[in-house]
Each structure stands twice: as C-alpha cells, then as structure tokens.
Amino acid sequence: MILLDGAKVANDRNLELKAKIEKDVEKYHRAPSLSIILVGENPASQSYVKGKGKACKLVGITHTLYHLEDTVSEAELEALIDKLNHDDDVDGILLQLPIPKHLDDIKLIDMILKEKDADGFHVVNQGNLYQKRPTIYPATPKGIMTLLKTYEIPIQGAHAVVIGRSNIVGFPVARLLMDQGATITVCHTKTKDLAFHTKQADIIIASAGRPELLTKDMIKPGAVVVDVGVNRVDGKLVGDVNFAGVSEVASYLSPVPRGVGPMTINALMENTYELYLKHVSR
Ligand code: NAD
C-alpha cells in the first residue's frame, strides 16, 4: 500500500506558493490577505482555524482572525461581512463552519462577495462548479483531486464511490471526479447496502463522518481509498476508514491525520492566492 501523504504534498505545494507570493508582493506591493471569521468556542473549529493561520504565515498570506462570541447576532455578523466585502485590502473571506444554530449559515455565506469566497461555498461559485464553468472550488474536494493527481491515480473510466452527499465534500467531489471521466456512485445514509457499492469501487472517497465505517471486507483489492473523515474518539482523531485493515487490501490510502486535512488547507491557500491575483488585476 502506498500512503497518500497529504501532509508532504501540501507542504511542497505551500512552499511553491510561498515563492510565487514573494514575487507577487514585489510586483503588486502587497501580500494576499484572508479574513477568517470564527464564531464561538468549538474546539475542532478553533484547531482548524489555527492550522489555517499557520499555513497563511508559511506562504506569506496576511490573515486576520475575527473571533466572535457564540451569542453574536446575525445583524452583527452581516455588518462584519459587509465591511470585509467593501475593504479593498481583503482578497478572501472565510466563515468557519459550523456556526451556532441561531445563525443562518446559507444566508451568511451567500452574503460574502463571490469574488472573495475563499472556501468556494457561495451559491454562484457552486453553481459554476456544477455547470463545469471556471470557478473557485471548495477546498476539501479541490485538495482531494490534487492529491489524486499528484499520485497519478487514473480517474478516467474508473468507478468512484463517494460516501457522503454534503454540499462541502461529497457532492462537489463526485462532480469533479465525474468531470474527469469517472463513473460515480454516491452513497449516503439512505443507501441500503453500502458494502455492495464500495466493493465495486476503484476509488473510494470516505466522507461520512463515521469513525472507521469502511473496513477491509468492504473494498476490492487494489482500490484507492481517500479518507476524509475527522472524528474525535476518546480524545484521538480517527478517520472514516479502519486504517490497519484497509491498508492490507488498498493500493493507495490517505491517513488521518496528515491526509486530506493539510490538502484542504493548501487548497484554501491556493484559492486565496487565486482571488488575490484576480483582485489586483481588476
Ligand atoms: P456531513 O455530516 O454534512 O455529511 C455526511 C454525509 O455522510 C451525509 O451526506 C450522510 O448522508 C452521509 N453518511 C453519514 N453516515 C453514513 C453511513 N453510515 N453510510 C453512508 N453515508 C453516511 O459531513 P461533511 O461536512 O460532508 O464532512 C464529512 C466528514 O469529513 C466529517 O468527518 C468531517 O469532519 C470531515 N471533513 C474533513 C475535512 C478535512 O479537511 N479533512 C473537511 C471537511 C470535512
């Protein structure tokens, strides 16, 4: 089994990006900038935001963290997004999800200017993705596709099974795999016999958020398995894949941690850079 080493690939790409940004700072007289909005004290979100801030520092993106109380009103958040939308020094805006239930995440994300939508979650950017038009890709699907490309995994003609149909992972990654010529099966909580589908897959994207859902007996020998899941079990991070078992059968497998997580952050850095380049040339 070959490890899909997301941490290494992401680090290599971040260093390449850093070199590009260094040149562009000379040319455009300012660094790219990302504003991150974090609401409340969710420990997982805090840890993701910390990782994103660290990556920004590494590649040379200026970042500002707006850490708001979980009692913040929707009007206050709207005012902040509006201010950032109008701030000419801001290239990218990210609202860290999930946000408390009294806030309307869909409405707030759609308020972010689509030209500053670093996460690629804005309805117009997602619509462009589904129509195969140029757009900002959501970070996790983009990171997964980059990981597969780096390891030269053949996608054209492959049967890819995606477990999960969320707007931020399962659905868009299925679309991107299909665009590259894979035949897609999307499984979800209503799927009757998950193993029936996964056993036929050349590529499996496990993004259900269920600890060790995918086991050795559910995959075909030689399958490529990407584990997106991040689950906290007894204080430890566990993926959606039983790593020990599946690594005996899979040809390629991404670990948790150090797999899709760092690729997602790298994709966010690359998205912010892309938005910056468009912004400075407007
Ligand atoms: P979500 O809860 O929005 O969606 C989960 C999907 O999985 C749903 O469509 C559901 O139908 C499906 N599902 C759940 N249980 C299932 C089962 N037993 N069988 C088949 N399908 C099942 O979650 P999400 O936001 O898409 O995230 C999925 C996982 O990926 C989570 O663990 C999340 O933490 C992780 N994640 C990781 C990264 C990263 O950077 N590594 C980024 C985003 C999400």
Side-chain angles (χ1 to χ4, degrees):
M1 184 275 296
I2 296 171
L3 198 71
L4 294 169
D5 190 345
K8 181 182 182 308
V9 175
N11 191 51
D12 290 350
R13 294 181 70 90
N14 282 337
L15 293 176
E16 279 170 31
L17 184 60
K18 179 179 192 242
K20 283 189 206 164
I21 290 177
E22 272 167 9
K23 283 197 186 136
D24 285 321
V25 169
E26 280 178 26
K27 196 166 158 192
Y28 300 113
H29 311 293
R30 74 167 178 87
S33 94
L34 176 67
S35 293
I36 302 177
I37 307 173
L38 172 66
V39 185
E41 305 300 326
N42 179 332
S45 295
Q46 283 181 324
S47 135
Y48 292 141
V49 163
K50 207 169 144 192
K52 290 168 186 178
K54 212 170 136 192
C56 283
K57 272 201 188 128
L58 171 69
V59 303
I61 292 176
T62 308
H63 77 285
T64 310
L65 174 64
Y66 295 87
H67 190 173
L68 310 173
E69 305 260 330
D70 56 8
T71 50
V72 68
S73 71
E74 194 154 299
E76 284 171 281
L77 255 180
E78 283 177 13
L80 174 60
I81 292 172
D82 191 52
K83 178 177 95 91
L84 297 172
N85 278 344
H86 286 95
D87 185 339
D88 209 34
D89 290 334
V90 173
D91 302 300
I93 306 170
L94 177 161
L95 176 61
Q96 182 65 45
L97 300 178
I99 53 176
K101 293 235 173 340
H102 69 280
L103 302 165
D104 184 344
D105 52 359
I106 293 176
K107 182 179 161 200
L108 290 164
I109 282 166
D110 288 349
M111 254 201 83
I112 295 172
L113 272 185
K114 66 181 195 315
E115 292 79 10
K116 295 193 177 188
D117 171 32
D119 254 338
F121 292 165
H122 189 285
V123 64
V124 172
N125 289 329
Q126 289 227 330
N128 283 335
L129 184 145
Y130 294 125
Q131 290 203 357
K132 218 177 159 180
R133 299 192 205 182
T135 190
I136 283 290
Y137 290 158
T140 303
K142 177 174 171 156
I144 294 168
M145 298 307 289
T146 305
L147 192 59
L148 293 174
K149 191 172 174 207
T150 307
Y151 283 86
E152 298 176 356
I153 306 294
I155 295 178
Q156 197 166 324
H159 181 193
V161 172
V162 178
I163 313 175
R165 57 174 165 179
S166 75
N167 275 340
I168 64 169
V169 188
F171 197 29
V173 83
R175 175 74 222 197
L176 293 175
L177 284 162
M178 189 170 73
D179 286 348
Q180 291 197 17
T183 301
I184 303 297
T185 301
V186 178
C187 298
H188 43 77
T189 41
K190 303 290 184 287
T191 299
K192 280 194 181 131
D193 184 353
L194 181 63
F196 168 81
H197 298 286
T198 55
K199 272 182 197 163
Q200 298 174 46
D202 303 307
I203 300 172
I204 302 176
I205 311 292
S207 58
R210 298 281 179 270
E212 303 193 345
L213 173 69
L214 193 75
T215 48
K216 180 179 164 180
D217 53 308
M218 292 167 75
I219 72 163
K220 171 168 97 175
V224 174
V225 181
V226 177
D227 191 353
V228 188
V230 179
N231 311 288
R232 280 174 173 78
V233 179
D234 300 331
K236 269 185 71 182
L237 283 190
V238 181
D240 284 3
V241 176
N242 175 269
F243 188 89
V246 170
S247 63
E248 290 172 14
V249 192
S251 58
Y252 291 83
L253 173 60
S254 74
V256 175
R258 301 178 64 76
V260 172
M263 291 304 298
T264 296
I265 295 184
N266 165 254
L268 173 70
M269 297 301 111
E270 296 188 353
N271 277 355
T272 305
Y273 177 62
E274 214 177 300
L275 296 175
Y276 158 79
L277 286 184
K278 286 196 183 131
H279 192 178
V280 287
S281 60
R282 271 201 294 275

